[in-house]
Amino acid sequence: MSWLTEYVRPKIRSLLKREVPDNLWTNCESCEQMILTKDLRKAMNVCPHCGYHMRATVPERLEWTFDNGEYTRIELPRVPVDPLSFRDRKRYTDRLKDERAKSQLDESMAVAHGQIGGHNAVVAVMAFEFIAGTMGAALGEAFLAAARLAILQQSPLIVFTASGGARMQEGMISLMQMPRTTVGVQMLKEAGLPYFVVLTNPTTGGVSASFAMLGDVQIAEPNALIGFAGQRVIEDTVREKLPEGFQRAEYLLEHGMLDMVVKRGDLPVTLGQLIGQLNYRHIAPRPAA
């Protein structure tokens, strides 16, 4: 009996035991169905049961957007760290250090260039995984760097937005990024280059009040939350009940604030077609008859 319990039974258990990784399954935030994580990644983080578009990281956005997932990231300008010596529950410098270690990103926006549908393009992606994609001085510099690169390459600029708004740790400096990014958009317009905005869930606050709403073409992912203030704040201010689906992409499309709502899997093709249609100055002229 001792031999069976001490040797045979543990041996059998070790053969039958299977290692199950912690991240094997993912719960949908909308319908709460369980999805195999590998299947969810293949579906671009879109729930196969209800079609809910879950959040995406910067590397995922860039890989899905550019042809064959090939792109080149650019180094972004440095800005002064913690200009206000801000501290809440922890020092701002410590918070930045923790966020950089967790997200493997330097800031809340990344910029890359490559091809979309065979057309050259510059893409800026906001990182909600970095302090909720809040807008500070570094984001303003990143946006202007993206605009300058687009002008240098004579390419369209595409921005994927995802933000909780201004970054309180930078106070007025954060709010000043609203006019600064607007200047970047104006630079593109003066250069005659298309500017596309893809609004994802959520896009709120100062971002929605500046560069996120200035695109030549405004696109949104399905059911994305888009607005300035929260629904509860608006209802308390106007003392009225807001309509069903207020601040969601479909409601904004119906009321003329968006040009289209596009599923994530269709975005690369849609963007490629739009670039081809609007970036007319780079289309080769037809030979004379």
Side-chain angles (χ1 to χ4, degrees):
M1 188 68 179
S2 176
W3 178 76
L4 288 173
T5 56
E6 293 180 6
Y7 180 78
V8 176
R9 187 179 295 171
K11 195 73 173 176
I12 293 172
R13 283 178 177 171
S14 67
L15 290 172
L16 295 176
K17 186 178 179 182
R18 297 180 62 187
E19 293 291 333
V20 179
D22 294 334
N23 61 347
L24 183 64
W25 296 89
T26 301
N27 269 39
C28 175
E29 300 168 25
S30 179
C31 68
E32 299 184 352
Q33 290 282 341
M34 292 185 67
I35 314 158
L36 273 171
T37 302
K38 66 176 183 180
D39 292 340
L40 184 61
R41 287 173 182 163
K42 290 178 182 177
M44 296 183 175
N45 291 0
V46 177
C47 177
H49 303 290
C50 67
Y52 180 74
H53 284 53
M54 302 184 195
R55 292 194 185 115
T57 63
V58 166
E60 288 172 336
R61 286 279 181 203
L62 294 174
E63 182 182 350
W64 298 336
T65 302
F66 286 106
D67 294 349
N68 304 316
E70 297 175 357
Y71 56 89
T72 303
R73 290 267 297 270
I74 68 167
E75 186 174 347
L76 298 172
R78 299 289 179 180
V79 298
V81 178
D82 196 12
L84 304 180
S85 301
F86 190 93
R87 178 170 185 166
D88 46 13
R89 287 178 296 172
K90 63 170 70 173
R91 293 182 186 277
Y92 183 37
T93 50
D94 294 336
R95 189 180 298 278
L96 287 172
K97 186 184 297 182
D98 293 344
E99 291 291 331
R100 284 166 181 162
K102 183 172 65 176
S103 67
Q104 298 299 303
L105 295 169
D106 290 330
E107 253 297 338
S108 57
M109 178 174 277
V111 179
H113 60 97
Q115 290 198 329
I116 302 174
H119 305 281
N120 292 333
V122 176
V123 175
V125 180
M126 295 191 68
F128 196 83
E129 61 267 34
F130 192 98
I131 317 184
T134 44
M135 178 173 60
L139 185 142
E141 288 293 340
F143 187 91
L144 287 172
R148 292 187 185 109
L149 179 61
I151 294 169
L152 180 66
Q153 296 187 351
Q154 288 293 284
S155 302
L157 174 61
I158 300 164
V159 176
F160 287 84
T161 63
S163 177
R167 187 172 298 175
M168 67 173 187
Q169 292 90 345
E170 296 188 22
M172 185 60 69
I173 294 172
S174 175
L175 297 178
M176 285 304 298
Q177 307 316 308
M178 296 170 64
R180 290 190 78 223
T181 53
T182 302
V183 168
V185 176
Q186 185 60 32
M187 289 163 52
L188 291 166
K189 292 184 182 300
E190 290 175 358
L193 295 169
Y195 171 53
F196 305 102
V197 181
V198 182
L199 300 109
T200 75
N201 186 45
T203 298
T204 60
V207 170
S208 68
S210 56
F211 66 91
M213 287 297 181
L214 297 175
D216 295 310
V217 180
Q218 296 286 124
I219 308 169
E221 290 189 333
N223 202 41
L225 174 64
I226 304 163
F228 182 70
Q231 183 167 336
R232 179 178 56 81
V233 174
I234 298 172
E235 288 181 337
D236 289 346
T237 302
V238 301
R239 301 186 184 280
E240 291 183 11
K241 184 69 176 175
L242 295 173
E244 184 71 25
F246 182 77
Q247 291 186 321
R248 294 291 172 175
E250 290 74 13
Y251 183 92
L252 298 182
L253 176 66
E254 184 180 342
H255 289 78
M257 293 192 69
L258 296 175
D259 295 302
M260 58 184 75
V261 174
V262 181
K263 293 180 180 178
R264 187 172 291 166
D266 298 331
L267 272 172
V269 173
T270 301
L271 289 170
Q273 291 173 345
L274 288 171
I275 294 170
Q277 291 167 0
L278 295 185
N279 207 23
Y280 60 87
R281 67 165 57 190
H282 303 296
I283 298 175
R286 292 182 179 180

